[in-house]
Amino acid sequence: MRLARIAHPQGFAFVEVRGDISDPSALTCAEISEHPFGTPEFTGREWPLADVRLLAPILASKVVCVGKNYADHAEEMGSEAPAEPLIFLKPNTSVVGPEAAIAYPPSSERVDHEGELAVVIGQPCRDVSAARAHEVILGYTCANDVTARDQQLSDGQWTRGKGYDTFCPLGPWIVTDLDPNGLDVRTTLHHADGTSEVRQDGNTSQFMHTVGGIVEYVTRVMTLLPGDGILPGTPAGVGPMLPGDRVTVEIEGIGALSNPVVDR
């Protein structure tokens, strides 16, 4: 099942996106009556995907991120992968959806993309074992852990560099029936001059800490609520973006999340 949140002529709705994603013109959105958690019930209303606007697929109370969970990314950042997951938070005000602009703050001289998988929690949970993590996961989507790299490095802690409004694009939808192991993760930067380059090309099999292990670690620290997101880390190849660029994060089995970069 592909779960999404949309804006349509009558307001907003949680929906199931139906159809073959290789033919976007044929995709339809079936409205869910209340929320996508548990067993969704449908209202019977539907819209063509082309007639609505995709929003961030979740309304998170928090987004928990894991730093340096790929050894090659830790190396490019000049450090070793930590023995335990290195977690930090992005505020829910940083979350935006597909095609929403990433706003480049004037206080930063370098803003980087970090394409990665996002885990979406489906029920309140605490002290969940790695073996039972799948029971509390609703599904998976694409994420971009946008980072003001100069401020992350100068501050010595990551709240400001990771926390700007628009610095957590998510989407396009949540895929519920997906194995998170062995998924290709690719980030492409499209420049204003029309050229493009693949910046990141990794696979979730390279995780130092598995999704289940991360859920166990995080839920020992804090309660997770329905809609909360976990970003388990980004592969090597992070790099700067500029206003006028567009960044696309594509994950096998999910689809593509694309956002333009603009001056704030």
Side-chain angles (χ1 to χ4, degrees):
M1 179 178 285
R2 291 190 295 268
L3 300 171
R5 194 165 62 94
I6 63 167
H8 61 86
Q10 288 78 46
F12 305 92
F14 285 107
V15 297
E16 178 189 8
V17 179
R18 297 173 175 172
D20 183 354
I21 62 172
S22 66
D23 183 10
S25 64
L27 293 177
T28 59
C29 299
E31 184 180 40
I32 295 170
S33 60
E34 293 183 0
H35 57 71
F37 307 107
T39 302
E41 297 182 1
F42 296 92
T43 66
R45 294 205 300 173
E46 293 191 6
W47 301 272
L49 181 62
D51 292 349
V52 303
R53 178 166 59 91
L54 284 169
L55 306 172
I58 57 171
L59 296 170
S61 74
K62 55 188 171 293
V63 179
V64 186
C65 305
V66 180
K68 303 176 183 178
N69 196 28
Y70 286 79
D72 55 358
H73 172 55
E75 182 179 357
E76 74 176 351
M77 297 303 293
S79 62
E80 296 182 358
E84 292 186 313
L86 175 63
I87 61 174
F88 59 93
L89 295 175
K90 292 176 85 80
N92 57 8
T93 48
S94 67
V95 174
V96 292
E99 295 300 324
I102 297 168
Y104 199 115
S107 58
S108 175
E109 295 182 357
R110 173 169 169 170
V111 174
D112 284 8
H113 58 77
E114 293 191 11
E116 55 193 277
L117 181 73
V119 181
V120 181
I121 297 299
Q123 60 181 277
C125 57
R126 188 179 64 180
D127 294 328
V128 179
S129 69
R132 298 188 61 188
H134 66 279
E135 298 176 12
V136 303
I137 294 173
L138 175 64
Y140 304 89
T141 190
C142 304
N144 190 349
D145 176 18
V146 180
T147 304
R149 189 71 68 200
D150 53 344
Q151 295 174 4
Q152 179 195 23
L153 297 175
S154 66
D155 290 357
Q157 55 81 28
W158 301 358
T159 302
R160 181 169 67 132
K162 299 280 192 175
Y164 283 97
D165 291 356
T166 75
F167 270 29
C168 190
L170 297 174
W173 40 62
I174 300 163
V175 178
T176 60
D177 50 350
L178 186 69
D179 183 345
N181 300 301
L183 301 177
D184 290 331
V185 179
R186 181 175 294 107
T187 303
T188 304
L189 194 66
H190 311 276
H191 298 288
D193 64 5
T195 61
S196 298
E197 56 178 318
V198 175
R199 286 278 189 84
Q200 297 178 273
D201 194 359
N203 189 283
T204 59
S205 64
Q206 299 168 300
F207 282 161
M208 303 297 293
H209 306 285
T210 66
V211 168
I214 290 168
V215 170
E216 179 177 288
Y217 186 85
V218 171
T219 59
R220 288 177 183 170
V221 179
M222 67 189 76
T223 298
L224 296 177
L225 301 177
D228 282 352
I230 298 177
L231 276 54
T234 192
V238 300
M241 309 177 294
L242 294 172
D245 290 342
R246 170 178 289 271
V247 61
T248 300
V249 179
E250 187 172 4
I251 299 180
E252 180 182 2
I254 298 176
L257 167 69
S258 190
N259 299 89
V261 183
V262 301
D263 277 317
R264 178 167 174 170

